[in-house]
Amino acid sequence: GGDQSEAAPDTVAVSVIKDISVPFLLSYEKYMAGELKPEISRFGVGEGAVYYSPYHNFEDRIPAGVQEKLDEVIQGLSDGSITVPDIAY
C-alpha cells in the first residue's frame, strides 16, 4: 500500500507503506550472488520494505510523545529488539 494522504488530506495523519520492490530487489541480489535458497524470507521495517509516510500537515497535531513512541517502535523493529511472531495463514 502507498501513502493514503491524498485520499483524505484532512483526516489521514500517516500511512503505513509496504514497498514490494524491496523484497524483489533483495531476492534478485541474492540470486545474482548465488546465495538465494528455497526458504521463507521475511521483509519488514529493518529491510526498508515497510515504513511510515511523512506526517504531512499533522506534525503539530500529533503529540510529541506519540511521535517519539512511534520512532522507538520503528527503531526496535529495525534492530530486532522488538520481534513480531510469525502469522500462519
Side-chain angles (χ1 to χ4, degrees):
D3 189 345
Q4 300 297 306
S5 65
E6 289 184 17
D10 295 329
T11 56
V12 176
V14 68
S15 299
V16 175
I17 300 173
K18 182 171 46 172
D19 185 347
I20 63 168
S21 68
V22 172
F24 286 107
L25 180 59
L26 294 174
S27 297
Y28 176 74
E29 289 172 352
K30 281 186 176 184
Y31 171 77
M32 292 305 292
E35 300 169 357
L36 187 64
K37 298 177 182 166
E39 62 189 6
I40 295 174
S41 297
R42 308 262 187 241
F43 300 95
V45 174
E47 296 77 22
V50 178
Y51 55 92
Y52 285 110
S53 71
Y55 293 111
H56 301 292
N57 61 343
F58 284 85
E59 290 90 351
D60 297 336
R61 294 192 246 173
I62 299 172
V66 171
Q67 292 182 39
E68 290 169 8
K69 187 62 177 177
L70 283 173
D71 291 341
E72 287 176 26
V73 170
I74 291 166
Q75 181 60 42
L77 291 168
S78 294
D79 66 22
S81 61
I82 297 175
T83 57
V84 178
D86 288 339
I87 299 171
Y89 294 98

